[in-house]
Amino acid sequence: MKIKAAVVEKVGADFTIKDDIDLHEVGPTDLQIHIVASGICHSDEAIRKGDADLGYPVILGHEGAGIVEKIGSQVTNFKVGDHVILSFYSDGTCDNCLKGIPTQCRHYGDYNLSGVRADGEDHFQENGNHISDMFNQSSFTTTTVVDQRNAVKIDPDLDLRKVGPLGCGYVTGSGTVFNTLKPRPGDTIAVFGTGAVGLASMMAGRISGCTKVIAVDIVPSRLELAKELGATHTINSKEVDPVEKIKELTNGYGVDWTVDTTGVASVITNSIQALAQGGTCAAIAVTPQLIQVSTWNDLCVDDKKIVGVNMGDSIPQVDIPRLLEFYKLGMFDFDKTEKFYDFEDINQANADSISGKTIKPVLIIDKDYQPTK
């Protein structure tokens, strides 16, 4: 089957939209998905520019939303016409998956970041030549084939143009708070970086009952949006020392929890220094930057911790429906971060994401799609 897709030919190249890409056939546990829309994530940019490598040429995209067109012979939980959000793949059979931790699937890297399907075959080809995939998905396409474990069924009355980013950015930010940090009502949290992941972390902190939810950024418009989405305080770290200000807001102690979504070394350091005794920092950005930490002076003396979190320690089939329930209640207004772009404008959308002009660009791949009224 021939499809249209946005291809990155080599490290650092722009996206090139091609309409002659060959798509793998539907296997026994697969779904063929008509992609309606896909979010652009900073992880896509990290791979495009070479901070991470899946092999080139590559078709990126891992925040897809669409409609099931065809199902494999062993698929039982989906039918043609179902609306779905796509997320990462886990096999469901290893010891960690059976413990309910699919983000720690023993073969997570092989399945999601190897550039080939979970069965080792090419997902995409052009003139018989391999093209790498991403997350066993690659949603910068008009049509893709995924395993049923990549998919989360959603209500058909939800707008498919909006919901794709729940498959990565929003579930990563919120899951870091809900599933990993697990703040208690009355705790305090500071989130460094108010992009999509950071704002999702912040909204999760608010939902969890944190009495101080502090957003830190250098872009005034983003800080204003953070206030609208529930931040109790905002800090422009271009204007004031964020560590001093956070301690001022917390009786000199610091916050119980921090989340760094920037990947900037100096900001990560600030997110550790802003912790109170016994506090924990979740550093979750995809970044090549390094920090220097004294395990005794920076951590042990005050019993502080730094944790890394993959995909918010989420179970997509559990966490995404939960986020949609919060959305319906007006508690998780993720769509206020989004801006729609035509698929053909993918390079502009990506540039606006890099510059910070747009928090969450969403590519509209099916322009004829109409949400249910």
Side-chain angles (χ1 to χ4, degrees), residues 112-281:
N112 295 287
L113 302 171
S114 65
V116 295
R117 285 166 45 92
D119 59 13
E121 296 184 2
D122 285 349
H123 206 136
F124 307 99
Q125 290 185 351
E126 183 181 25
N127 298 321
N129 297 314
H130 165 81
I131 299 178
S132 294
D133 73 357
M134 183 179 187
F135 267 42
N136 198 45
Q137 176 190 150
S138 294
S139 58
F140 294 165
T141 56
T142 52
T143 309
T144 192
V145 169
V146 302
D147 189 274
Q148 60 187 336
R149 292 185 58 81
N150 281 94
V152 180
K153 191 187 305 185
I154 64 170
D155 293 339
D157 59 345
L158 291 164
D159 189 342
L160 282 171
R161 297 172 302 175
K162 296 181 178 181
V163 297
L166 290 167
C168 180
Y170 300 137
V171 81
T172 294
S174 62
T176 295
V177 176
F178 288 142
N179 302 327
T180 309
L181 301 183
K182 299 179 181 178
R184 295 168 295 184
D187 283 356
T188 55
I189 187 169
V191 178
F192 290 75
T194 56
V197 175
L199 290 171
S201 300
M202 189 203 75
M203 287 187 283
R206 179 190 63 177
I207 292 168
S208 298
C210 291
T211 52
K212 286 187 172 61
V213 179
I214 304 168
V216 184
D217 207 305
I218 59 174
V219 182
S221 60
R222 290 192 174 203
L223 293 172
E224 284 300 313
L225 179 59
K227 288 180 184 178
E228 184 180 340
L229 294 177
T232 61
H233 301 82
T234 60
I235 298 173
N236 187 325
S237 54
K238 265 189 174 180
E239 299 174 353
V240 299
D241 184 315
V243 176
E244 289 183 2
K245 187 63 178 179
I246 288 170
K247 290 189 174 181
E248 178 187 321
L249 292 169
T250 53
N251 298 315
Y253 295 137
V255 287
D256 300 305
W257 314 98
T258 60
V259 180
D260 175 71
T261 68
T262 70
V264 177
S266 60
V267 180
I268 302 171
T269 300
N270 284 340
S271 70
I272 299 167
Q273 294 174 344
L275 290 170
Q277 288 176 299
T280 298
C281 166

Side-chain angles (χ1 to χ4, degrees), residues 98-120:
L98 293 173
K99 292 175 185 175
I101 320 171
T103 56
Q104 296 178 24
C105 177
R106 294 294 185 182
H107 300 285
Y108 183 94
D110 294 336
Y111 294 142
N112 295 287
L113 302 171
S114 65
V116 295
R117 285 166 45 92
D119 59 13

Side-chain angles (χ1 to χ4, degrees), residues 8 11-15 44-50 56 60 350:
V8 176
V11 176
D14 284 346
F15 294 95
D44 297 310
E45 173 60 11
I47 295 167
R48 187 194 70 83
K49 68 181 183 180
Y56 301 86
L60 301 173
N350 192 55

